[in-house]
Structure formats: C-alpha cells, structure tokens
Amino acid sequence: MSKIYTSILDTIGNTPVVRLARLSPPDMELYAKLEAFNPLGSVKDRLALGVIEAAERDGRLKPGQTVIEATSGNTGIGLAMVCARKGYPLVIVMAESFSVERRKLMRFLGARVVLTPAAEKGTGMVEKACELAAKHGWFWTRQFENQANADIHSRTTAREILAAFGGTGPDYFVTGAGTGGTLKGIARVLRAESAATRIVVSEPENTPMLASGLRQRCKADGTPAESHPLFRPHPMQGWAPDFIPQLTADALDTGLIDAIQPVGGAESLRLARELARQEGIFCGITGGATLAAALEVAKTAQKGSRILFMVPDTGERYLSTPLFDAIEQEMDAVEREISNSTPSCRFSAPASQPAAAAAAASEPPPDGARHFVRQAINDPEQPVVMFALEWCEFCWAVRRFLRDLGLPFRSVDLDSVAMQADGIGGDIRKVLHTLTGQRTIPQIFIGGAHIGGAVDLLDLHDRGELMTFLGKAGIQPAGDLALTARSYLPRWLAARSVA
C-alpha cells in the first residue's frame, strides 16, 4: 500500500489471507480471507465496482443516471462508495430489519435509502427496486443475477487466492452463498485450475434451501417469484435471503459445489466473538459462520489440510445486532475494581459509591417499558400478543402457526429498528423477566394471561386446551383447528421431542 492512488476505487481487492493460530485445530491449517480490508469494509466493494464498470462499458449505465439496488447493506455501502466517486446518484432499497449502522453509512456516503417492511423479506425489497427502476428509468444493478458480480471475483479474488497458496488452491475453500457472486466467481476458477480443492458452501441450519434440492421459482427475468418454502429468519445478515439467487443456482447447476455445510446462528455469533478475542480479527456474524463451517470441515479432513474460509466484512456494522448483546458501554464490576485499585481519577467515592453502584445495577427498568408491556398484554383490541425477535426460528414458528390458525395477533419484535431506540427493547425484556420469571423469547400472552414460550403455546393447542384461553379472551380462530401445532417447530427440535 506504499504508493499514491488516483482513486479510492483503485484500493479495492488484494485483501490479506491470514493463518489462524489459537482457533485452528491441531494438525490443520486454517486461513481467513479478510475482506474487511477493502476500503468500505466488505467483500461487496468488489461486486459494486464490477457491476458499475461492466454497465459503463456496455452502455447500459449513462452518465449521471441514477443507480438503484436492493440490498441487506454491504452491497449498498460498496455501491455508495463507487457511485460517490463516479458521480452517479444512488437509491438503495433495504428491509427495515437490517442493522441501523448500514443505512447510516449509506446515507453518509450520499445515497438515498428506501425501507421496506421486514415482513416482506428480501423478495419484497427486490420487487420494490424493480418497480422504482421501471418507473423512473434508473439503472438497476441486479446483484443477484448480474454475471458481472461473479466475473470480478474470477478476475480478482480467485487470482489472489491462487497466488497466496503458491499457484494452487487450498485443500478446502469455504464460503457462504450470499448473492452467489463470490461463490460462482471463485469456484469456477478453482475448479479449472486447482481441481483438488473442495468447494464447501455454508448456509444457516434452520434455512436449508440449498441442501433441500428444492428449486427456486423465478420470473422470466431471473428474479424470485416468491419466497423459498424453506426460508426461516436467521441472524446472518447478507446470507440466505428468502430466495436462492440465480448466481447461486448457477453454481449448483454446474457442479461447482462439493458440499453444503449447515451452521447454527448461536455458534456463528459465538465464533465471531472468538475470532476477535483469540485471533484479533474483527468481523461480522457471517465471518463467525464461515469459521463454524470450516471447523466442521476440519473434523473429517486429512491431517495437514489447508482450509481457507471467507470473512466477508467488519464487525462495526453490527453494533445494534445480537452480536453485541453482551457488550456493555459502562464499566462492569471487574473494570471498576481495576479503576479503584489506584487512588486517582476514580468514578466511585470510597465508602458509599459501591453500594450505590450495586443499587443502580438492580434498579427496575424505566416506567416507560413497564407501561408498554402492561398496555400491550391488556389491550382488548389485540388480546394475543407475542414479545419476539425478528430472526428467531421459534418466533417464526409461532407466527406461522397463528396465521394458519386464523388468529389475529400482535408481534412486538424486540430487536427491530423501532425497539432499538433508547434501548427500550432491552428494558422490555427486563420487565418480562420480572413479570414471568423467564428470560427466554418469545413470551406469549392471551387476554392478559401469560401462556409461556413457543413450545408452551403449541403444546397447549395439541392438548386441546388453547380454546379455553381464546374463549376467555373472546376470540375465535378462523383457520383449521385440526392442525398439529408441534409440526411448526424447527425440524431438529420436533425430532428430538418425538424421540
């Protein structure tokens, strides 16, 4: 990097490959491709440059024309950088459920961000981008179908990998599917020039769209016609939208994938934190997810195998997500003890302050949160209320069950954008714990009565007791009362329950 560049765009690519030390299993070589070293912090900087310059070359993008794309964030951030440098106005369409940091970064770079309802998922934001492009004559980059997305990875990322490993690829290459551009672009080069390299694609274990073999229904233009039937919410932003992108389907259809490795959301979150704490690698949730997949690969790989996994972005755009749930901004007890071990610049007074600090820590949540919960569970207009998380598969199971039962309900999503304001989502969780004695989510109430969590509600129906609670609340389901509620649980839990 010791040179002068004529444009920030010239710094895209040539990201480092770093060998893990503390997290690597014995007799294995684990390597991370760190895409956070791109100027705007993610692998999608490559995509953004590739699709814009391809459109400039073939004339589809005219000088000064507005660019539009539907994205979970990283592609939009990369496009905002490229469009800022090249002078194109940019409009981003993004579901409201994605992290606040991402939309702020795009707006900081001059883009306009149009939000779509979380319930409409990825297909909804794609449909909105399509409508806006058609109405206003804007250039839609179509990251999920655009072959220029894969092409730039064939020209750059794949070549960097081959060079890093001495001209031949690693024994295993592990990546998430995402748009399919990284997967298709790298895999086809490795398949041609390093035939021994096995290509492993990881996907959320509760969303086995690729592993299922079920095709994605698409429109004539390659965009999704509907959500994939096996999509479920998951915390890996940028992975597995509610459809299989055309570029990913291409990789499947042309035999570029050797194995599909499912990974859990909780394990992905844990390993993202472990990468930071044990290797000093600061990444997002998908970095933890690809590491989780690489560690699974290592369990059956030959000794001495070289396993490369993609780390797509940086952790800074996840501050408002579950990745940082346990990270406090105030000093904890250990930090206060360190501070108090010397006399100067202490926050606490010698005698009374420790007791005051303890009292503050156990202070009840604010009145606003208590009032919100009281009002929600006692609202006669909405007697069924669920305190939930948007990405939680158990909350998703309850939503589907209640909808199929024909039962109107309110879902208060504590990790939604609205609930991030002033930390009210966290305060509501404290209120619920005080009220029910339970820390788990979801928590469900009917007519003011606490039912419990997902399994409690579903079992209540299957035992024939749910109608008693509904009758007391004065509501009658409009759907099929004969459905089996436990069938809505995640398959792994349903199977364990039967056993």
Side-chain angles (χ1 to χ4, degrees):
M1 299 293 286
S2 57
K3 61 178 284 188
I4 295 174
Y5 294 88
T6 59
S7 166
I8 187 66
L9 306 184
D10 296 336
T11 69
I12 294 173
N14 292 310
T15 57
V17 171
V18 175
R19 183 174 176 177
L20 300 194
R22 301 178 63 189
L23 290 177
S24 184
D27 302 318
M28 290 289 165
E29 297 180 17
L30 249 61
Y31 297 88
K33 178 74 166 162
L34 301 182
E35 290 298 296
F37 279 73
N38 283 302
L40 259 293
S42 90
V43 68
K44 300 301 178 66
D45 291 358
R46 300 178 190 258
L47 179 166
L49 183 64
V51 297
I52 292 298
E53 292 195 335
E56 288 175 328
R57 287 192 299 270
D58 64 23
R60 285 176 297 139
L61 177 58
K62 306 297 189 290
Q65 186 178 8
T66 295
V67 174
I68 186 168
E69 182 55 283
T71 169
S72 65
N74 280 334
T75 297
I77 293 167
L79 282 170
M81 169 187 61
V82 174
C83 289
R85 177 61 180 83
K86 288 178 172 286
Y88 298 108
L90 174 66
V91 174
I92 292 298
V93 181
M94 188 167 78
E96 63 176 341
S97 53
F98 296 115
S99 66
V100 173
E101 293 85 1
R102 298 177 180 218
R103 67 177 76 163
K104 286 188 173 182
L105 280 167
M106 289 183 281
R107 287 172 174 150
F108 189 86
L109 287 158
R112 298 292 184 184
V113 181
V114 175
L115 299 179
T116 55
E120 301 298 328
K121 305 183 284 297
T123 48
M125 65 187 193
V126 169
E127 181 66 24
K128 187 68 172 179
C130 178
E131 290 177 355
L132 289 171
K135 179 175 178 59
H136 299 289
W138 295 341
F139 172 67
W140 179 20
T141 59
R142 298 184 53 152
Q143 61 170 327
F144 300 105
E145 304 90 42
N146 195 331
Q147 295 300 325
N149 176 357
D151 291 344
I152 194 166
H153 286 289
S154 293
R155 292 195 309 271
T156 65
T157 326
R159 296 296 162 194
E160 294 165 24
I161 291 170
L162 290 172
F165 287 91
T168 59
D171 298 297
Y172 295 87
F173 172 66
V174 183
T175 185
T179 64
T182 302
L183 165 63
K184 180 179 178 179
I186 295 174
R188 65 187 175 189
V189 173
L190 293 181
R191 181 70 82 232
E193 301 186 28
S194 181
T197 299
R198 286 183 58 79
I199 312 297
V200 179
V201 176
S202 46
E203 67 176 348
E205 67 180 2
N206 69 323
T207 308
M209 295 188 294
L210 303 182
S212 72
L214 293 177
R215 303 285 300 186
Q216 173 67 49
R217 287 191 62 245
C218 294
K219 301 176 183 177
D221 64 356
T223 58
E226 62 183 4
S227 292
H228 192 280
L230 291 185
F231 172 78
R232 300 292 181 270
H234 57 83
M236 293 80 141
Q237 296 188 20
W239 266 22
D242 65 312
F243 57 92
I244 299 175
Q246 181 177 309
L247 293 173
T248 303
D250 290 348
L252 279 168
D253 294 342
T254 54
L256 294 178
I257 298 173
D258 294 306
I260 297 170
Q261 177 60 54
V263 293
E267 184 69 355
S268 300
L269 292 163
R270 184 186 73 82
L271 286 172
R273 299 181 189 113
E274 290 302 302
L275 270 170
R277 292 168 180 173
Q278 297 200 48
E279 301 284 353
I281 294 173
F282 186 45
C283 69
I285 301 168
T286 52
T290 48
L291 172 57
L295 290 172
E296 286 299 315
V297 168
K299 291 179 180 178
T300 57
Q302 290 185 345
K303 288 184 178 181
S305 291
R306 302 182 302 175
I307 304 170
L308 174 67
F309 66 99
M310 293 294 286
V311 179
D313 65 0
T314 175
E316 287 184 347
R317 53 203 57 169
Y318 296 87
L319 295 173
S320 62
T321 73
L323 183 60
F324 281 79
D325 265 359
I327 309 300
E328 301 293 341
Q329 65 180 18
E330 303 299 336
M331 289 192 293
D332 62 18
V334 173
E335 291 162 341
R336 286 196 298 271
E337 183 178 355
I338 293 171
S339 174
N340 293 339
S341 66
T342 62
S344 65
C345 300
R346 291 165 58 165
F347 280 95
S348 58
S352 60
Q353 189 65 15
S362 61
E363 202 173 89
D367 288 340
R370 291 199 299 273
H371 174 73
F372 183 99
V373 172
R374 253 193 330 267
Q375 188 176 53
I377 66 178
N378 293 303
D379 184 355
E381 299 297 320
Q382 293 181 309
V384 180
V385 60
M386 173 173 68
F387 294 90
L389 298 172
E390 288 181 332
W391 63 268
C392 169
E393 58 186 321
F394 294 99
C395 300
W396 186 260
V398 172
R399 290 189 188 98
R400 291 176 57 239
F401 164 69
L402 292 175
R403 285 170 186 152
D404 288 354
L405 195 61
L407 198 61
F409 67 96
R410 178 185 181 188
S411 181
V412 180
D413 297 331
L414 301 177
D415 58 344
S416 67
V417 173
M419 288 292 153
Q420 291 170 16
D422 301 322
I424 190 172
D427 291 336
I428 289 173
R429 294 186 77 159
K430 293 176 184 176
V431 173
L432 291 172
H433 177 234
T434 302
L435 185 64
T436 68
Q438 300 176 10
R439 294 187 181 275
T440 55
I441 295 294
Q443 290 299 319
I444 303 156
F445 295 80
I446 299 178
H450 179 234
I451 300 301
V455 175
D456 299 310
L457 174 73
L458 301 177
D459 280 350
L460 200 65
H461 171 80
D462 288 345
R463 293 197 306 266
E465 300 172 14
L466 180 59
M467 287 303 297
T468 301
F469 287 89
L470 297 176
K472 289 179 181 178
I475 48 178
Q476 175 68 36
D480 181 9
L481 296 180
L483 54 79
T484 302
R486 266 195 171 262
S487 67
Y488 287 81
L489 286 172
R491 290 182 181 179
W492 61 266
L493 180 61
R496 183 182 299 175
S497 301
V498 171

